[in-house]
Amino acid sequence: MGNSIIAACKNGDSSFEDLDSYFPVRPECRADVPNTRFRPRAGRTLSERRWKAAFSQEGYLDIAGVLRRIQRGGIHPSIKGAVWEFLLGCFDPNSTFEERNELKQQRREQYAAWKSECQKLVPVIGSGKFTTNAIVTDDGQPIELANTTSNGQDTNNGMPVDNGVYEKKVVQWKLNLSQIGLDVVRTDRSLVFYENQTNQAKLWDVLAVYAWIDKDIGYVQGMTDICSPIIILLENEADAFWCFERAMRRLRENFKSSANSIGVQSQLRALAQIVKIVDPKLHRHLEELDGGEYLFALRMLMVLFRRELSFVDALYLWEVMWAMEYNPNLYSLYDKTLEQLPDKLNDTQLKQYGKFERRIVRTGATKQHDALAVFLVASVLETKKKQLMKEAKGLDDVVQILSEITGNLDAKKALNEALKVHKKYMSKASFYVPCSLLFPTPSQHTHPKG
């Protein structure tokens, strides 16, 4: 966790003060950022004291108790980073302190090795600086005088392959670096944290290394919105990388595009199916406006409502959503150590699932089911139904009406409405055909081991 956050949380449970002390906004930007609704609440929000008490002497985590508290009131800013590592499947709650420390060290060494590979190709990586300039041409030839954001240091050591013809994947990675830099400059620029170029460079480094190891997708715009909060919450760069890598396992398919389709299309199709079942009249109206593909919801699904909420409220939404979707087998799925699950789960085992995932398990649906985020968008459409039906005469009107939720969306209320929409959908659907994957199995695509 960042030093500024650590300094702000010395009072533990009594530290339910202004959230500006954790995520300060630049004075000149305050008028332009949405108001924050979330406030840590004693007795409801997972506090530092409660978090520490949830571990046994050996380090085993009472994940059921932690999930209950998060679903009631989110996570106190002082411990968000540490808790997110469990919610996203970085660690197994049934592991000890010693086992997790050993795993963390292994991951840090692996990240350092990957980063070293990147530095050999682009020396500015890891220097505390970053570039917004192209360093190679489209055919892989070095661009001379490419410089960093602060000086004229050469960012490309010009390592040709096969007499100057660059290997395609390496070229694409190098081409991505300038776009990452441009997006880093634009991301969360209202926060004081990113006034520091070293912090911006940390975000750039993590995304550069991720793009290097995930060569199928590389980097896609929107990833900075997912990675930025993690960089702020976790002080160690390698730990932040692995937390982001786990987050991307949930969202990776959203960023996977081809010449004929966009990655988030499966979730958009799922959204259309959900609205068609729970509210046929609204769905028909959207179809008549040529909105049947629901492309107006693309941004909300791609970056999980980051643009519609304040920074703090977006973090609250994510962590409650992840807690609701939590599956205790998540770490084992990612680590490829999952054994056969029992046919039936007892009440104690079910309590280790988030309330949304528990409902899925109880109904006997497959693991391949629609993410809570899809039902969250459906709930937003439901709350705007009257206005959409009355005022929307075209797609531009739909976009305009939905844009009104920016700064006005109550994350807690929206999540509760999403659960209601899901319940209604499950009761109305004569059969349940999944259109998107909440927890892709490791065999579906290649991920780094760790």
Side-chain angles (χ1 to χ4, degrees):
M1 189 174 299
N3 289 330
S4 61
I5 300 179
I6 293 174
C9 68
K10 291 181 179 178
N11 294 326
D13 274 3
S14 63
S15 182
F16 288 94
E17 69 286 334
D18 192 335
L19 291 172
D20 278 350
S21 60
Y22 295 92
F23 312 108
V25 175
R26 293 162 59 186
E28 67 271 23
C29 298
R30 286 175 184 164
D32 300 322
V33 299
N35 292 327
T36 295
R37 294 171 179 263
F38 170 73
R39 290 289 181 272
R41 296 177 60 187
R44 298 185 71 86
T45 300
L46 179 65
S47 65
E48 185 177 7
R49 180 181 64 81
R50 282 275 187 172
W51 173 243
K52 290 179 177 178
F55 290 95
S56 70
Q57 186 174 354
E58 297 82 7
Y60 300 110
L61 177 63
D62 173 18
I63 192 66
V66 167
L67 293 176
R68 277 197 307 274
R69 185 55 69 99
I70 296 172
Q71 289 168 157
R72 289 176 65 191
I75 304 169
H76 191 271
S78 62
I79 54 170
K80 280 183 187 290
V83 182
W84 280 25
E85 288 182 297
F86 282 89
L87 291 180
L88 291 169
C90 293
F91 299 121
D92 185 351
N94 294 316
S95 61
T96 65
F97 289 128
E98 184 178 351
E99 289 169 338
R100 290 195 293 275
N101 286 335
E102 183 179 343
L103 178 59
K104 183 172 287 190
Q105 184 58 37
Q106 291 172 358
R107 288 175 174 165
R108 288 178 177 181
E109 291 173 1
Q110 177 63 80
Y111 177 72
W114 283 330
K115 189 173 181 181
S116 178
E117 291 176 10
C118 296
Q119 285 174 313
K120 289 176 182 177
L121 293 170
V122 182
V124 73
I125 291 174
S127 69
K129 303 178 179 67
F130 65 100
T131 185
T132 57
N133 298 312
I135 62 174
V136 292
T137 60
D138 289 343
D139 61 356
Q141 297 305 309
I143 296 177
E144 294 184 6
L145 302 179
N147 51 52
T148 68
T149 54
S150 63
N151 61 32
Q153 177 183 352
D154 189 359
T155 59
N156 179 30
N157 68 352
M159 293 180 64
V161 178
D162 295 335
N163 298 320
V165 179
Y166 278 63
E167 194 273 325
K168 186 176 179 181
K169 296 288 186 181
V170 175
V171 172
Q172 186 55 55
W173 174 71
K174 287 190 174 186
L175 289 170
N176 279 334
L177 295 181
S178 59
Q179 185 60 60
I180 295 174
L182 291 169
D183 291 344
V184 162
V185 172
R186 291 191 285 252
T187 300
D188 291 325
R189 57 186 174 185
S190 63
L191 298 180
V192 171
F193 181 85
Y194 284 118
E195 286 185 312
N196 186 328
Q197 186 190 133
T198 301
N199 292 333
Q200 289 182 313
K202 182 178 171 183
L203 175 58
W204 187 74
D205 284 348
V206 166
L207 289 165
V209 175
Y210 180 82
W212 174 249
I213 59 107
D214 188 349
K215 290 185 171 63
D216 288 340
I217 294 180
Y219 174 76
V220 178
Q221 285 186 288
M223 288 183 182
T224 50
D225 291 295
I226 306 300
C227 190
S228 171
I230 297 171
I231 295 295
I232 294 172
L233 294 176
L234 292 168
E235 186 173 14
N236 183 277
E237 184 179 312
D239 297 346
F241 168 85
W242 285 106
C243 193
F244 172 66
E245 189 271 337
R246 289 309 196 253
M248 282 301 297
R249 294 196 187 214
R250 290 172 169 267
L251 301 168
R252 187 174 183 273
E253 296 303 308
N254 283 1
F255 292 96
K256 193 173 185 178
S257 300
S258 67
N260 301 317
S261 65
I262 53 176
V264 77
Q265 208 158 40
S266 62
Q267 288 198 333
L268 293 174
R269 285 196 296 266
L271 175 61
Q273 177 71 7
I274 290 165
V275 177
K276 183 178 181 180
I277 289 177
V278 301
D279 198 329
K281 188 175 181 181
L282 176 59
H283 178 72
R284 282 196 302 271
H285 180 62
L286 292 172
E287 276 194 320
E288 290 169 359
L289 301 178
D290 290 329
E293 294 184 351
Y294 287 71
L295 291 173
F296 49 79
L298 187 148
R299 189 180 73 178
M300 288 185 276
L301 290 171
M302 280 282 286
V303 295
L304 298 181
F305 289 82
R306 271 301 313 270
R307 312 289 173 79
E308 284 71 30
L309 296 166
S310 71
F311 181 82
V312 173
D313 284 348
L315 269 54
Y316 166 78
L317 175 76
W318 290 6
E319 64 204 20
V320 176
M321 196 156 54
W322 293 338
M324 288 181 174
E325 293 177 321
Y326 186 78
N327 185 316
N329 303 302
L330 192 57
Y331 172 82
S332 297
L333 279 168
Y334 291 162
D335 201 47
K336 302 183 182 180
T337 59
L338 181 65
E339 298 178 357
Q340 184 67 36
L341 290 172
D343 293 333
K344 292 185 179 181
L345 299 173
N346 58 40
D347 288 342
T348 301
Q349 291 170 318
L350 281 171
K351 287 178 181 178
Q352 296 178 33
Y353 289 77
K355 64 167 67 175
F356 179 78
E357 183 70 9
R358 191 185 311 143
R359 182 186 292 176
I360 297 296
V361 172
R362 281 175 170 161
T363 58
T366 67
K367 294 174 190 171
Q368 297 182 333
H369 58 79
D370 300 316
L372 180 55
V374 181
F375 291 94
L376 188 61
V377 177
S379 74
V380 169
L381 293 174
E382 281 289 277
T383 59
K384 288 288 186 179
K385 176 183 176 178
K386 288 184 179 179
Q387 192 176 0
L388 287 168
M389 296 294 292
K390 183 178 180 180
E391 300 177 16
K393 309 301 181 184
L395 277 182
D396 289 344
D397 295 331
V398 175
V399 172
Q400 176 60 37
I401 291 168
L402 293 179
S403 70
E404 294 172 4
I405 70 171
T406 300
N408 297 308
L409 183 66
D410 186 320
K412 184 176 182 179
K413 185 182 291 186
L415 282 167
N416 288 333
E417 290 301 315
L419 291 175
K420 291 178 183 178
V421 171
H422 178 254
K423 185 176 182 180
K424 185 177 180 181
Y425 172 70
M426 294 294 282
S427 66
K428 284 195 168 189
S430 57
F431 59 91
Y432 186 49
V433 180
C435 297
S436 58
L437 309 183
L438 175 57
F439 297 119
T441 57
S443 61
Q444 288 178 284
H445 38 65
T446 303
H447 279 295
K449 182 76 171 177

